[in-house]
Amino acid sequence: MAQEQIQEQQQTLSLKQTQSITQQQLLQAQLIELPVAQLLERINTEMDDNPALEVNTDEDSEFSENSDFSDNSENSESPDEFEKEERQSALDAALENIGRDDEDLPVYHSGQDYHEDKEEIVYGETLSFYDQLKEQMGVLDLDLRQQDIMEYLIGSLDDDGLLRKSLDSISDELAIYHTIDATPQEIESVLHHLQEFDPAGIGGRSLQECLILQIQRRSPSHLRDLMMQVIQNYFVEFTKKHWKKIQQALGLTDIQADTLIKELRKLNPKPGASLGEAVGHSMQQITPDFIIDTQDDGTVTFLLNTGEIPELHISQSFTDTLREYQNNKEHMSRQMKEALLYTKKKVDAAQGFIEAIRIRRQTLSLTMKAIIQWQHRYFEEGDEALLKPMILKDIAEKTGLDLSTISRVSNSKYAQTRWGTFPLRHFFSDSYITAEGDELSTREIKATLRDLVDAEDKQKPLSDEALGKLLAEKGYPIARRTVAKYREQLGIPIARLRK
């Protein structure tokens, strides 16, 4: 009896709680993350793969995205349909109610998408930073799985060409959003192939690795060995330009040291930027996903840029075929049943895709409306110092959407404003809490810090301590170590190196 109780207890403790993600949820997550240009490519691919999906040329067609081809009666609803209606109601309610606490900050959506090709804003040439790297995949013998991993790695690179996401994080994202169960070791194997692409240094996981990758491309020589020693063993001294310490450590003459320094300075800390210069000083082709306009009276309006994205519907031939089969179920042959299953599968997939596009449109509208309301003063005047502290969690709470959804909306998308075209991440900023409990925008502090450095006497550059005192006088009482942190994030060297 005691043994049975022990066994039962062990079995109970071994149970694990799991959470399943439906294919429809995955599809919605993928489409939400895509900017408008890539969404058009995705739609074209889906239409090539699914003959039940067609461009809607008749707005009054009864066979629209809302057509119901369920086997159930008209009055019954499947769990998926009920869940879809629940999500739709939640989004509609959020769109209607958002901002009721901000009645003095009006934001209007016209209800129609921006669709005027003549005014489409594109920066750079047609070949993007992403496309240039993707083209180089053609010379590699990769299977389909490795190609998918490679494309995700390329999409995860920062603008400077470095990969700052951990391989564990990429492994999780591939599993959740792309249903690819890849270990960090497998991803690293594909990453090594990416690091062989041009320009040298692409795909480095740190500045140090980026420079090492560039040195490895050089022909074997004593100079190459010395460069490798510096980056591998004296990297801190190298970043601080302590050339004398490096010279003494390696036992070099002045001429040898000068030659070594000259070659080290040829290394590129931002290989992605050099690749961008080949396409017109732009990292990628940029098409704004949002068109934001500010009226003279402070009213802010916005539109979704649909570019050439078509309105989709279900093919009428498929709907007619499906209804014909469903009306003759009792007299169907095996071949007709197989045809019915194929037709229904394609129609269901088309309906799911149309639904995912609609959810994407509403989710983007909801998110942008919340961002504009939060940063209303900025959109009124265009002064970057007016950007309030705002993180993804703030917009998630304001919209009622999931944090990961807000992250996907903000990723790789741009907004055209009266003050310029910016990535959505531009409008987000962390906050700094002072000892008195005041909340300051880190972006505002950094902007002031850069102004102070730009205005300093270049013969007598200001130390971090001196910069801290000046910031405090301007209403930003932050510690010296915080000044150093923000200075490094802005790419501003220490005072000794600014002479």
Side-chain angles (χ1 to χ4, degrees), residues 383-386 442-458 462 466-467 470-471 474 476 483 486-487 490 492 498:
D383 186 353
E384 190 171 324
L386 295 176
T442 57
R443 186 184 296 275
E444 184 179 350
I445 298 174
K446 288 178 182 179
T448 305
L449 174 60
R450 181 175 289 282
D451 290 341
L452 290 174
V453 172
D454 290 342
E456 70 183 359
D457 182 354
K458 298 307 176 184
L462 299 169
L467 288 170
L470 290 176
L471 285 170
K474 292 181 175 294
Y476 309 111
V483 174
Y486 290 168
R487 174 179 53 73
L490 290 170
I492 300 174
R498 298 204 300 273

Short mmCIF file of all heavy atoms in Angstrom, two decimals, residues 383-386 442-458 462 466-467 470-471 474 476 483 486-487 490 492 498:
data_model
loop_
_atom_site.label_atom_id
_atom_site.label_comp_id
_atom_site.label_asym_id
_atom_site.label_seq_id
_atom_site.Cartn_x
_atom_site.Cartn_y
_atom_site.Cartn_z
N ASP A 383 10.74 68.04 -31.40
CA ASP A 383 11.94 68.17 -30.58
C ASP A 383 12.23 66.84 -29.88
O ASP A 383 11.42 66.37 -29.08
CB ASP A 383 11.75 69.29 -29.56
CG ASP A 383 13.02 69.58 -28.76
OD1 ASP A 383 14.01 68.83 -28.91
OD2 ASP A 383 13.01 70.54 -27.97
N GLU A 384 13.38 66.25 -30.18
CA GLU A 384 13.70 64.93 -29.61
C GLU A 384 13.75 64.97 -28.09
O GLU A 384 13.50 63.96 -27.43
CB GLU A 384 15.04 64.45 -30.17
CG GLU A 384 15.36 63.00 -29.84
CD GLU A 384 16.58 62.50 -30.59
OE1 GLU A 384 16.76 62.88 -31.75
OE2 GLU A 384 17.34 61.70 -30.00
N ALA A 385 14.08 66.12 -27.53
CA ALA A 385 14.13 66.24 -26.07
C ALA A 385 12.75 66.06 -25.44
O ALA A 385 12.64 65.83 -24.23
CB ALA A 385 14.72 67.59 -25.67
N LEU A 386 11.69 66.15 -26.25
CA LEU A 386 10.33 66.01 -25.72
C LEU A 386 9.87 64.56 -25.67
O LEU A 386 8.76 64.28 -25.19
CB LEU A 386 9.35 66.82 -26.57
CG LEU A 386 9.54 68.34 -26.55
CD1 LEU A 386 8.56 69.01 -27.51
CD2 LEU A 386 9.35 68.88 -25.14
N THR A 442 16.20 58.99 -20.65
CA THR A 442 17.61 58.78 -20.98
C THR A 442 17.94 59.40 -22.33
O THR A 442 19.07 59.87 -22.54
CB THR A 442 17.94 57.27 -21.00
OG1 THR A 442 17.08 56.61 -21.94
CG2 THR A 442 17.75 56.65 -19.64
N ARG A 443 16.99 59.41 -23.24
CA ARG A 443 17.24 60.03 -24.56
C ARG A 443 17.49 61.53 -24.40
O ARG A 443 18.36 62.10 -25.05
CB ARG A 443 16.05 59.79 -25.48
CG ARG A 443 16.29 60.27 -26.90
CD ARG A 443 15.05 60.09 -27.74
NE ARG A 443 14.70 58.69 -27.88
CZ ARG A 443 15.23 57.89 -28.80
NH1 ARG A 443 16.13 58.36 -29.63
NH2 ARG A 443 14.84 56.64 -28.88
N GLU A 444 16.71 62.16 -23.53
CA GLU A 444 16.87 63.60 -23.30
C GLU A 444 18.23 63.88 -22.67
O GLU A 444 18.92 64.83 -23.05
CB GLU A 444 15.74 64.09 -22.38
CG GLU A 444 15.74 65.57 -22.14
CD GLU A 444 14.57 66.00 -21.26
OE1 GLU A 444 13.69 65.15 -21.01
OE2 GLU A 444 14.56 67.17 -20.85
N ILE A 445 18.63 63.02 -21.73
CA ILE A 445 19.93 63.19 -21.08
C ILE A 445 21.06 63.02 -22.09
O ILE A 445 22.02 63.80 -22.12
CB ILE A 445 20.10 62.19 -19.92
CG1 ILE A 445 19.03 62.44 -18.85
CG2 ILE A 445 21.49 62.29 -19.31
CD1 ILE A 445 19.01 61.40 -17.73
N LYS A 446 20.94 61.99 -22.95
CA LYS A 446 21.99 61.73 -23.93
C LYS A 446 22.09 62.88 -24.94
O LYS A 446 23.19 63.24 -25.37
CB LYS A 446 21.71 60.41 -24.65
CG LYS A 446 21.93 59.17 -23.79
CD LYS A 446 21.59 57.91 -24.56
CE LYS A 446 21.75 56.67 -23.70
NZ LYS A 446 21.39 55.44 -24.44
N ALA A 447 20.94 63.42 -25.34
CA ALA A 447 20.95 64.53 -26.28
C ALA A 447 21.67 65.73 -25.68
O ALA A 447 22.47 66.42 -26.36
CB ALA A 447 19.52 64.91 -26.67
N THR A 448 21.42 66.01 -24.40
CA THR A 448 22.10 67.12 -23.72
C THR A 448 23.58 66.82 -23.57
O THR A 448 24.42 67.72 -23.74
CB THR A 448 21.47 67.34 -22.33
OG1 THR A 448 20.06 67.54 -22.46
CG2 THR A 448 22.08 68.55 -21.65
N LEU A 449 23.93 65.57 -23.26
CA LEU A 449 25.34 65.18 -23.12
C LEU A 449 26.09 65.40 -24.44
O LEU A 449 27.21 65.93 -24.46
CB LEU A 449 25.42 63.72 -22.69
CG LEU A 449 26.83 63.10 -22.63
CD1 LEU A 449 27.71 63.87 -21.64
CD2 LEU A 449 26.74 61.63 -22.22
N ARG A 450 25.48 65.00 -25.55
CA ARG A 450 26.13 65.20 -26.84
C ARG A 450 26.32 66.68 -27.15
O ARG A 450 27.36 67.09 -27.69
CB ARG A 450 25.31 64.54 -27.94
CG ARG A 450 25.92 64.67 -29.34
CD ARG A 450 25.14 63.91 -30.37
NE ARG A 450 25.28 62.47 -30.22
CZ ARG A 450 26.36 61.79 -30.63
NH1 ARG A 450 27.40 62.44 -31.17
NH2 ARG A 450 26.42 60.50 -30.48
N ASP A 451 25.32 67.50 -26.80
CA ASP A 451 25.44 68.95 -27.03
C ASP A 451 26.61 69.53 -26.24
O ASP A 451 27.35 70.39 -26.74
CB ASP A 451 24.14 69.66 -26.63
CG ASP A 451 22.99 69.33 -27.59
OD1 ASP A 451 23.27 68.88 -28.71
OD2 ASP A 451 21.82 69.52 -27.19
N LEU A 452 26.78 69.05 -25.02
CA LEU A 452 27.88 69.54 -24.18
C LEU A 452 29.24 69.17 -24.77
O LEU A 452 30.17 69.99 -24.80
CB LEU A 452 27.76 68.97 -22.76
CG LEU A 452 26.61 69.50 -21.90
CD1 LEU A 452 26.53 68.74 -20.58
CD2 LEU A 452 26.77 70.99 -21.65
N VAL A 453 29.35 67.94 -25.28
CA VAL A 453 30.61 67.50 -25.87
C VAL A 453 30.89 68.26 -27.16
O VAL A 453 32.02 68.66 -27.44
CB VAL A 453 30.57 65.98 -26.13
CG1 VAL A 453 31.79 65.53 -26.93
CG2 VAL A 453 30.50 65.21 -24.82
N ASP A 454 29.84 68.50 -27.96
CA ASP A 454 30.02 69.22 -29.22
C ASP A 454 30.48 70.66 -28.97
O ASP A 454 31.20 71.24 -29.80
CB ASP A 454 28.71 69.24 -30.02
CG ASP A 454 28.35 67.87 -30.57
OD1 ASP A 454 29.26 67.00 -30.64
OD2 ASP A 454 27.18 67.66 -30.93
N ALA A 455 30.05 71.23 -27.83
CA ALA A 455 30.36 72.64 -27.55
C ALA A 455 31.64 72.81 -26.74
O ALA A 455 32.07 73.95 -26.51
CB ALA A 455 29.19 73.28 -26.80
N GLU A 456 32.29 71.74 -26.32
CA GLU A 456 33.46 71.85 -25.46
C GLU A 456 34.68 72.39 -26.24
O GLU A 456 34.73 72.33 -27.48
CB GLU A 456 33.81 70.49 -24.85
CG GLU A 456 34.35 69.50 -25.85
CD GLU A 456 34.63 68.12 -25.25
OE1 GLU A 456 34.42 67.95 -24.05
OE2 GLU A 456 35.06 67.23 -26.01
N ASP A 457 35.66 72.87 -25.50
CA ASP A 457 36.93 73.28 -26.08
C ASP A 457 37.73 72.02 -26.42
O ASP A 457 38.10 71.26 -25.53
CB ASP A 457 37.70 74.15 -25.07
CG ASP A 457 39.03 74.67 -25.64
OD1 ASP A 457 39.40 74.27 -26.76
OD2 ASP A 457 39.68 75.46 -24.94
N LYS A 458 37.97 71.79 -27.72
CA LYS A 458 38.63 70.56 -28.13
C LYS A 458 40.08 70.48 -27.65
O LYS A 458 40.66 69.38 -27.64
CB LYS A 458 38.58 70.43 -29.66
CG LYS A 458 37.16 70.35 -30.21
CD LYS A 458 36.35 69.25 -29.51
CE LYS A 458 34.90 69.24 -30.00
NZ LYS A 458 34.08 68.25 -29.26
N LEU A 462 36.22 67.94 -21.82
CA LEU A 462 35.68 67.77 -20.47
C LEU A 462 35.76 66.33 -20.01
O LEU A 462 35.49 65.40 -20.78
CB LEU A 462 34.21 68.23 -20.45
CG LEU A 462 33.96 69.69 -20.81
CD1 LEU A 462 32.47 69.94 -21.02
CD2 LEU A 462 34.51 70.61 -19.72
N ALA A 466 33.39 66.39 -15.01
CA ALA A 466 33.00 67.75 -15.39
C ALA A 466 31.68 67.75 -16.17
O ALA A 466 30.82 68.61 -15.96
CB ALA A 466 34.10 68.39 -16.22
N LEU A 467 31.51 66.76 -17.03
CA LEU A 467 30.26 66.64 -17.77
C LEU A 467 29.09 66.39 -16.82
O LEU A 467 27.99 66.91 -17.01
CB LEU A 467 30.36 65.50 -18.79
CG LEU A 467 31.25 65.77 -20.01
CD1 LEU A 467 31.46 64.47 -20.80
CD2 LEU A 467 30.64 66.84 -20.91
N LEU A 470 28.00 69.66 -15.24
CA LEU A 470 27.25 70.50 -16.17
C LEU A 470 25.84 69.95 -16.40
O LEU A 470 24.88 70.71 -16.50
CB LEU A 470 28.00 70.60 -17.50
CG LEU A 470 29.30 71.41 -17.47
CD1 LEU A 470 30.00 71.33 -18.83
CD2 LEU A 470 29.02 72.87 -17.11
N LEU A 471 25.73 68.63 -16.45
CA LEU A 471 24.40 68.01 -16.60
C LEU A 471 23.52 68.30 -15.38
O LEU A 471 22.32 68.57 -15.52
CB LEU A 471 24.55 66.50 -16.80
CG LEU A 471 25.03 66.04 -18.18
CD1 LEU A 471 25.36 64.55 -18.16
CD2 LEU A 471 23.95 66.31 -19.24
N LYS A 474 21.97 71.58 -15.52
CA LYS A 474 20.88 71.65 -16.48
C LYS A 474 19.66 70.84 -16.04
O LYS A 474 18.70 70.68 -16.79
CB LYS A 474 21.35 71.18 -17.85
CG LYS A 474 22.36 72.12 -18.50
CD LYS A 474 22.79 71.61 -19.86
CE LYS A 474 23.71 72.60 -20.55
NZ LYS A 474 23.00 73.88 -20.89
N TYR A 476 19.85 67.52 -14.75
CA TYR A 476 20.02 66.08 -14.91
C TYR A 476 21.09 65.58 -13.94
O TYR A 476 22.24 65.35 -14.32
CB TYR A 476 20.43 65.73 -16.35
CG TYR A 476 19.53 66.34 -17.40
CD1 TYR A 476 20.00 67.34 -18.24
CD2 TYR A 476 18.21 65.91 -17.54
CE1 TYR A 476 19.18 67.91 -19.21
CE2 TYR A 476 17.38 66.47 -18.51
CZ TYR A 476 17.88 67.47 -19.33
OH TYR A 476 17.06 68.03 -20.27
N VAL A 483 27.32 58.89 -16.50
CA VAL A 483 27.80 59.75 -17.59
C VAL A 483 28.70 58.94 -18.52
O VAL A 483 28.57 58.99 -19.75
CB VAL A 483 28.57 60.98 -17.04
CG1 VAL A 483 29.20 61.77 -18.18
CG2 VAL A 483 27.65 61.86 -16.22
N TYR A 486 26.57 56.48 -20.64
CA TYR A 486 25.85 57.12 -21.74
C TYR A 486 26.82 57.61 -22.81
O TYR A 486 26.52 57.56 -24.01
CB TYR A 486 25.01 58.29 -21.23
CG TYR A 486 23.82 57.88 -20.37
CD1 TYR A 486 23.10 58.81 -19.63
CD2 TYR A 486 23.43 56.54 -20.31
CE1 TYR A 486 22.01 58.44 -18.85
CE2 TYR A 486 22.34 56.16 -19.53
CZ TYR A 486 21.64 57.10 -18.81
OH TYR A 486 20.57 56.72 -18.05
N ARG A 487 27.98 58.09 -22.40
CA ARG A 487 28.98 58.56 -23.36
C ARG A 487 29.43 57.41 -24.27
O ARG A 487 29.55 57.56 -25.49
CB ARG A 487 30.19 59.15 -22.61
CG ARG A 487 31.34 59.53 -23.52
CD ARG A 487 32.49 60.13 -22.74
NE ARG A 487 32.93 59.28 -21.64
CZ ARG A 487 33.61 58.14 -21.80
NH1 ARG A 487 33.90 57.69 -23.01
NH2 ARG A 487 33.98 57.43 -20.75
N LEU A 490 26.83 56.50 -26.80
CA LEU A 490 26.78 57.47 -27.89
C LEU A 490 27.99 57.37 -28.81
O LEU A 490 28.06 58.06 -29.82
CB LEU A 490 26.69 58.88 -27.32
CG LEU A 490 25.36 59.26 -26.63
CD1 LEU A 490 25.50 60.59 -25.90
CD2 LEU A 490 24.25 59.34 -27.65
N ILE A 492 31.06 58.22 -27.96
CA ILE A 492 31.97 59.34 -27.70
C ILE A 492 33.16 58.83 -26.89
O ILE A 492 32.98 58.26 -25.82
CB ILE A 492 31.24 60.45 -26.90
CG1 ILE A 492 30.04 60.97 -27.70
CG2 ILE A 492 32.20 61.59 -26.56
CD1 ILE A 492 29.17 61.96 -26.94
N ARG A 498 39.69 62.78 -27.21
CA ARG A 498 38.91 63.76 -27.97
C ARG A 498 39.72 65.00 -28.31
O ARG A 498 39.19 65.95 -28.89
CB ARG A 498 37.66 64.19 -27.17
CG ARG A 498 36.69 63.04 -26.89
CD ARG A 498 35.29 63.56 -26.65
NE ARG A 498 35.16 64.47 -25.54
CZ ARG A 498 34.95 64.14 -24.27
NH1 ARG A 498 34.86 62.84 -23.94
NH2 ARG A 498 34.83 65.07 -23.33
#
